[in-house]
Amino acid sequence: MRFHCWLMRFMHCLMMMYYWFMRFMHCLMMMYYWFMRFMHCLMRMYYWLMRFMHWLMMMYYWLMRIMHCLMMMYYWFMRFMHWLMMMYYWLMRFMHCLMMMYYWFMRFMHCPLMMFYWFMRFMHCLMMMYYWLMRFMHCLLMMYYWLMRFMHWLMMMYYWLMRFMHWLMMMYYWLMRFHYWIMRFMHWLMRMYYWFMRFMHCLMMMYYWFMRFMHCLMRMYYWLMRFMHRLMMMYYWFMRFMHWLMMMYYWFMRFMH
């Protein structure tokens, strides 16, 4: 276009500059607008991720409280069992004292002494059974103890894994521009998490069957105690009968004398 006036040429130049400046500004505004929409999307994703992580931590917290409660119940149960065993121990010492008195009294009579001898052999057999039962129970308790240590170690691994995951999520947030390689790395982490959860499920099943086995052993122990009680009552009535015989023998000797 030709202008015959320098003023018109100058004005046309200014208008063109203004026009291209406006187009450039419009382009910048659009870039800013879509950048803000993308950032808003990222912030919402981070927000829901944090809510989910908080929910996981609360689940872990209540699990630990339940486990602590179970451990305390087990602790007081063991204290009570120890008290019962000590009562049984002093009863046995007292019974041993009575047996020794009975022994020095009965060595003047051959037949009751032989009966007493075979009875003591039978009692010794029962005591050895009880001794090996206690050794076996101790073995089971130590197994349970090391299982709990191992479970604690797994929980700590899980805890540090969660801290590591949180750190990775923050890295992911700040490094979104390297999308492809981060996605590959995250896929690998998800696979690790998946196998870790399968392993934890396996451990929980082992723990469940171990508890069923312990319940079975406790029932066996209960019936053993009932059987021991029956033997003690038989022993009691046998001693009363022997005392009656000794009295008859005593008055008979006096009479004969």
Side-chain angles (χ1 to χ4, degrees):
M1 181 183 294
R2 297 180 62 191
F3 296 99
H4 298 287
C5 178
W6 288 104
L7 177 62
M8 291 298 286
R9 287 184 182 181
F10 178 68
M11 290 296 284
H12 181 265
C13 179
L14 289 177
M15 291 303 110
M16 289 289 106
M17 288 166 66
Y18 179 74
Y19 169 72
W20 290 106
F21 176 72
M22 286 298 107
R23 286 190 66 171
F24 176 68
M25 289 297 283
H26 182 265
C27 178
L28 290 178
M29 291 302 109
M30 290 296 105
M31 287 166 66
Y32 179 75
Y33 170 70
W34 290 106
F35 176 71
M36 286 297 106
R37 288 191 65 172
F38 176 65
M39 290 296 283
H40 182 263
C41 177
L42 290 179
M43 291 301 109
R44 298 304 293 174
M45 287 166 64
Y46 179 74
Y47 169 71
W48 289 106
L49 173 67
M50 288 300 105
R51 286 190 65 171
F52 177 65
M53 292 293 281
H54 179 265
W55 176 71
L56 289 178
M57 290 301 108
M58 293 309 286
M59 286 173 67
Y60 178 74
Y61 167 73
W62 289 106
L63 173 66
M64 288 300 104
R65 287 192 65 173
I66 291 165
M67 291 293 282
H68 181 264
C69 177
L70 292 175
M71 291 304 104
M72 294 309 288
M73 288 165 66
Y74 178 75
Y75 169 72
W76 289 106
F77 174 70
M78 287 298 106
R79 287 191 64 173
F80 176 65
M81 290 293 284
H82 181 263
W83 176 70
L84 290 177
M85 291 303 106
M86 294 309 288
M87 287 173 65
Y88 180 76
Y89 168 73
W90 289 107
L91 173 65
M92 288 299 104
R93 289 191 66 171
F94 177 66
M95 291 291 284
H96 182 264
C97 178
L98 292 177
M99 291 305 105
M100 295 310 290
M101 291 166 64
Y102 180 73
Y103 168 74
W104 291 108
F105 175 71
M106 287 299 287
R107 55 188 299 187
F108 305 105
M109 299 167 65
H110 181 262
C111 182
L113 178 60
M114 287 298 104
M115 291 168 65
F116 180 75
Y117 167 72
W118 290 107
F119 178 72
M120 284 299 104
R121 287 193 66 170
F122 176 65
M123 288 295 284
H124 181 263
C125 178
L126 291 177
M127 291 305 106
M128 293 310 287
M129 288 166 61
Y130 179 75
Y131 167 72
W132 289 106
L133 173 68
M134 288 300 104
R135 287 193 67 171
F136 178 64
M137 290 292 283
H138 181 263
C139 177
L140 290 176
L141 293 206
M142 293 310 288
M143 287 166 63
Y144 181 76
Y145 168 71
W146 288 106
L147 174 67
M148 288 300 103
R149 287 194 64 172
F150 178 63
M151 290 291 283
H152 179 263
W153 176 71
L154 289 177
M155 292 301 109
M156 293 310 288
M157 284 174 66
Y158 180 75
Y159 167 70
W160 288 106
L161 174 67
M162 287 300 104
R163 290 192 64 173
F164 178 62
M165 290 290 283
H166 180 263
W167 176 72
L168 289 176
M169 292 302 107
M170 295 307 287
M171 286 176 67
Y172 177 76
Y173 167 71
W174 290 108
L175 301 174
M176 275 300 289
R177 67 182 63 189
F178 308 109
H179 182 268
Y180 172 70
W181 293 106
I182 297 293
M183 284 300 103
R184 288 191 62 176
F185 180 56
M186 288 298 285
H187 181 263
W188 175 73
L189 285 177
M190 290 304 108
R191 297 300 298 171
M192 286 175 64
Y193 180 73
Y194 165 72
W195 288 107
F196 174 69
M197 287 299 108
R198 288 191 64 172
F199 176 62
M200 288 293 282
H201 181 264
C202 176
L203 289 177
M204 291 302 113
M205 289 296 105
M206 288 167 64
Y207 179 73
Y208 165 72
W209 289 108
F210 174 67
M211 287 298 106
R212 290 190 65 170
F213 175 64
M214 288 294 282
H215 181 263
C216 176
L217 289 177
M218 292 301 112
R219 300 297 297 172
M220 288 166 64
Y221 179 75
Y222 165 72
W223 289 106
L224 173 67
M225 289 299 106
R226 288 190 63 170
F227 175 66
M228 292 290 283
H229 180 262
R230 292 281 180 92
L231 290 176
M232 292 300 110
M233 294 308 289
M234 288 165 65
Y235 176 73
Y236 167 71
W237 290 106
F238 172 70
M239 288 298 107
R240 288 190 64 171
F241 174 66
M242 291 298 288
H243 181 266
W244 177 71
L245 290 177
M246 293 304 102
M247 289 295 105
M248 288 174 65
Y249 177 75
Y250 168 71
W251 292 108
F252 175 70
M253 289 294 107
R254 287 188 64 176
F255 174 70
M256 292 293 288
H257 181 70

